[in-house]
Each structure stands twice: as C-alpha cells, then as structure tokens.
Amino acid sequence: MADWRISPTLALNDMVAQRQERGESIVHLGFGEVRLPAFEPLVDRLVAGASRNTYGPVAGSQAVRQAAAGYFTRRRIPTDAEQVVVGPGSKPLLLALNLVVPGDVIVPKPARNTYAPQAELAGKKVFRISIPARAGGVPDPAALQDTILAARALGRDPRIVILTLPDNPTGTVAPPELVREICALAEQEDLLIISDETYRDVLHDPRTPMLSPAEAAPRRTVVTTGLSKNLALGGWRIGVARFPDSLWGQRIRDGVISFASEVWSTLAGPMQQVAEYAFTEPQEVRQRLADSARLHGSVARALHRIMVDAGAVCRPPVGAFYVYPDFNPVREKLAARGVTDADTLSRHLVDEHGIVVLGGHLLGDDPTALRFKAATSMLYGDTVELQQQALAADDPAKLPHIREVLTRLSEAFTKLCG
Ligand SMILES: Cc1ncc(COP(=O)(O)O)c(C=O)c1O
C-alpha cells in the first residue's frame, strides 16, 4: 500500500485543536485560511442557487464560464468561455492537470505544500529549484536550466513547471522581467507552465506590477485560480482553470474534463451561481476585495517588521497573507536554545511560546535552514464583529485586538532571538 500522509497543514490544525482543548493559548500562524465572514451578497447567491439540483455540464454552465472568461480578459488575458473549466477548488483541477499532462514536474523551493504530493500521486518525479533572492513563486532561471539538463541526463523528462503569482509562502510576486525569463526558458525547453494565480486579487497595492505567464507565453500556460483566498470561501470549494487557446490547450482541457466527469461530475449548482456573480465583479465585490487586500497587507507588513526587528532576513510581503523569514543571521543564538533547523525552530515556537508556524522543510525547503511560513489570515478576530472591524479599518494592525496578538508575537520573537 502506498505511503499516504495527511497534508502537513491539516495535521497542524489537529495539533492546534488538541492543545486548545488542553487549555493552551495558541497563536495559529500555520494555516492559510482566511478567517473572515462570508460576504453577504455571496450568501444570497448561494441561497438563490439552492434549487439548482441537476448535474449540468462537467466544465460548468456557459454563464459561469463566460463570467470567468470576463475576469481573465479584464486582466489582460483574453479568454473565451470555451477555455474555462470550473471545479470544486483549484486543488482537484491541479491534480487533474498532473494526471493528464505527461512528464515530470518542476516546483519552486519552497512552494505550496500541495504541489509535490499531487505530482507524486500522479507517478511523477518532482524537481525542486531554489527561488531568487528578490521573490518566490518562480524558480531561479539559471538553476532551472541546470536542473532540466541534469534531469534529462538521468533519463527523466521534466515537462511541467508550476509557478505561484503572488506566492505562497513568501508573500511576494515575481517581477515581470523574471516571469519573461522563465517563460522564455519554458518555450526553449518545451515546458507547460501552470500558473497558480489564486492570490492575484490579494495584491496589497493594486498598482504592483504583475505579469501573468499567460501573457508572456500564451500557448503554453494554464492558469488556475478560485475564490478560496480573495473572498474567504475556502470551504465552498470554487476553483477555475483557464486553458491556452491552442490545440495543445484544447487537448489538455478535454483531458481535465474527462477526469472531472469520472470524479466530481460538475461544480455544485449553487456554487456555480456564486462564482458567476463573483467573477462578474460588480462594484460591491470589488470593494470587498480591496478591503480584504488592505487588511492582509497591513497585518502582513506588521508581522514582517516583527521578524526583521528580531533579527531575521525576510522578503517584504506585497501579496497574499504570508511572510517567510530566515533566522540564519541569529543561528548561534538559536543554537544555544537547542534550535538548529526548521523542525526544532517550529517545535520551540509552539512549546515555549504557543506560536504555530509551518516549518520550511514541510514546503520542500532545505531542512537545515531556519525558515518557516507564517500566515496572518487567522489573526483578524474571533468574532464576526471583530472581523468586520478589521475589514473596515484604515490601518487594521492598529486595532486593539490585532495589536494585542502582534505585541505577543513581538515579545516572543525578541525573547527567542535575544
Ligand atoms: C497557492 C495556492 N493556490 C490555491 C490555494 C487554494 O486551493 P483551493 O482553490 O483548492 O481552495 C491555496 C491555498 O492554500 C494556495 O496557497
């Protein structure tokens, strides 16, 4: 029997629940779930869609695919409804892509922890490539080229590269010139690009330049996205894949639809109703997206400052709700506390300070590095009222209930590195 392991983030949640049951006070930075209330107009669409109880087309209704096509087209990626498939989250769509497209998979190091296990479930070998100093979510171009050559020399066949823009776990977005460089390499080496753009609408400043690989390499880029992060709908499971307008793109899309027809049949009708509305992006949805992005940015920047003040190096976050600090500059001080790698660092943080993070080793990073991912998305308040306050505030990090947690974090990291 294969070695099936639960996703490390879900295992972490179990650990947090057990500690909380024992009465421990925990600050949970280990899970990228957005603890914000569902936006009321989305709930209205869900209720209105409840009577949609037939299966419907596997790829999604014409109306929802048309809405998603409009969403991409407004982002400089001209799209026809025929290029879109909606499904129950982007995760199963990514798995379908892994099963449909042959060849091995290249992922950045670190990367979202789902990519590698999915590729392995599909029988592929995973090549992890370090990220550039400026931003994560894309592999370093020189290392990418070297790895492809080395892999081929060993008889492997890397065919897919997965990029994340903006990135989980670094909270950065690769600059356009870097995206162009990777796209040129993908052209040269005949790779399919899967561009996970789930956090595209969580850029803290909408003026931050972002180039989708689908603009730079339109014939060979599949884009995935969804509503889990930008509209805090993780549990509603709404995902989208957008395929290239080419024969290749059409063949991959047909494969994904065929897989979907045997596994999930179609995205639930009420969810299609929600997605159709959300992807049409009426003014109230745009406002909610802007409020959420401001909140994520404010708290992520505050957490970044805490990490840097404690002695870590850390790329400044510009998107999503993560920071990915590196405590190597204070390695000796940490060693005196028995902290020598990502695993002991994350264990020390929970045992001594009640702070839960996701060690970089669980994201494919070097286990000896003193790096971890910290998500801010569960710090916005324990009640709907506090969460609404956080959404409405000009500078949410200054709200008393958020400042209280940030102060606790600041004291803990100062002590850890002192
Ligand atoms: C990079 C990235 N893509 C997608 C998702 C969401 O996946 P889904 O659409 O299946 O909820 C996440 C959630 O952690 C993520 O970090």
Side-chain angles (χ1 to χ4, degrees):
M1 187 157 148
D3 176 22
W4 293 87
R5 272 159 299 168
I6 185 166
S7 154
T9 40
L10 301 181
L12 216 56
N13 284 344
D14 287 347
M15 183 268 278
V16 169
Q18 280 168 17
R19 283 180 179 258
Q20 283 172 332
E21 254 168 48
R22 293 203 298 262
E24 292 181 36
S25 160
I26 297 288
V27 182
H28 193 357
L29 305 176
F31 193 42
E33 174 167 285
V34 187
R35 282 284 158 86
L36 289 174
F39 187 44
E40 264 318 304
L42 296 167
V43 177
D44 294 344
R45 294 318 184 281
L46 183 63
V47 172
S51 57
R52 287 176 63 165
N53 60 336
T54 57
Y55 282 104
V58 175
S61 71
Q62 171 73 20
V64 71
R65 287 184 292 106
Q66 193 73 53
Y71 168 91
F72 288 115
T73 302
R74 285 189 295 280
R75 284 158 182 75
R76 304 184 306 272
I77 313 173
T79 304
D80 187 86
E82 289 311 304
Q83 290 167 258
V84 172
V85 173
V86 296
S90 61
K91 240 185 205 188
L93 289 164
L94 274 172
L95 178 64
L97 285 164
N98 268 292
L99 288 161
V100 165
V101 181
D104 295 322
V105 174
I106 295 166
V107 300
K109 183 171 104 176
R112 177 190 181 199
N113 56 303
T114 298
Y115 300 147
Q118 282 200 341
E120 283 157 3
L121 283 173
K124 296 169 182 305
K125 184 164 170 53
V126 175
F127 295 93
R128 298 181 186 273
I129 306 189
S130 53
I131 55 174
R134 339 175 229 180
V138 298
D140 177 76
L144 174 60
Q145 176 80 83
D146 291 350
T147 303
I148 292 171
L149 293 179
R152 288 191 185 140
L154 289 173
R156 301 301 316 190
D157 185 24
R159 286 274 153 215
I160 303 171
V161 59
I162 306 185
L163 311 180
T164 318
L165 293 110
D167 182 38
N168 167 11
T170 61
T172 58
V173 60
E177 65 276 13
L178 193 52
V179 172
R180 281 202 190 89
E181 222 177 312
I182 300 289
C183 288
L185 259 169
E187 293 281 357
Q188 182 189 307
E189 302 298 339
D190 198 16
L191 304 179
L192 177 78
I193 300 169
I194 297 177
S195 183
D196 182 340
E197 300 181 11
T198 295
Y199 296 95
R200 177 160 193 153
D201 299 314
V202 198
L203 277 175
H204 305 160
D205 179 348
R207 293 163 301 185
T208 303
M210 170 164 158
L211 179 75
S212 170
E215 291 175 77
R219 287 181 313 110
R220 59 181 60 252
T221 303
V222 175
V223 180
T224 59
T225 188
L227 303 181
S228 296
K229 307 296 170 174
N230 56 1
L231 287 169
L233 294 181
W236 286 13
R237 313 304 304 126
I238 298 170
V240 179
R242 184 253 182 219
F243 297 84
D245 180 19
S246 63
L247 202 57
W248 193 21
Q250 220 173 313
R251 283 217 319 270
I252 299 171
R253 182 175 179 267
D254 288 348
V256 167
I257 291 174
S258 156
F259 176 82
S261 74
E262 302 297 354
V263 181
W264 65 78
S265 298
T266 185
L267 174 61
M271 295 311 170
Q272 293 199 33
Q273 186 112 353
V274 170
E276 182 187 328
Y277 163 74
F279 283 117
T280 312
E281 298 179 286
Q283 172 53 27
E284 67 274 15
V285 168
R286 292 204 302 270
Q287 186 60 50
R288 167 67 182 230
L289 291 170
D291 291 346
S292 306
R294 183 180 60 242
L295 168 59
H296 296 311
S298 165
V299 183
R301 282 191 299 276
L303 188 60
H304 173 260
R305 175 108 315 271
I306 290 169
M307 299 298 158
V308 171
D309 286 350
V313 287
C314 189
R315 296 173 183 85
V318 297
F321 27 77
Y322 307 107
V323 294
Y324 194 72
D326 184 344
F327 283 83
N328 196 47
V330 289
R331 183 174 280 278
E332 278 173 23
K333 286 184 184 161
L334 296 191
R337 301 186 192 285
V339 170
T340 52
D341 56 17
D343 185 41
T344 47
L345 176 55
S346 40
R347 282 178 201 276
H348 182 88
L349 281 168
V350 67
D351 289 341
E352 299 299 319
H353 301 283
I355 297 170
V356 174
V357 297
L358 196 65
H361 59 304
L362 299 173
L363 303 167
D365 207 350
D366 175 0
T368 65
L370 294 166
R371 296 193 273 263
F372 59 77
K373 174 174 97 168
T376 61
S377 49
M378 303 225 290
L379 303 184
Y380 305 149
D382 291 333
T383 63
V384 168
E385 200 191 355
L386 289 174
Q387 293 164 4
Q388 295 288 14
Q389 266 181 34
L391 269 172
D394 285 336
D395 191 354
K398 294 211 170 98
L399 287 173
H401 71 279
I402 297 182
R403 225 183 28 212
E404 189 185 324
V405 189
L406 292 171
T407 303
R408 174 170 166 185
L409 290 168
S410 172
E411 286 170 1
F413 280 97
T414 307
K415 191 164 167 211
L416 172 74
C417 304

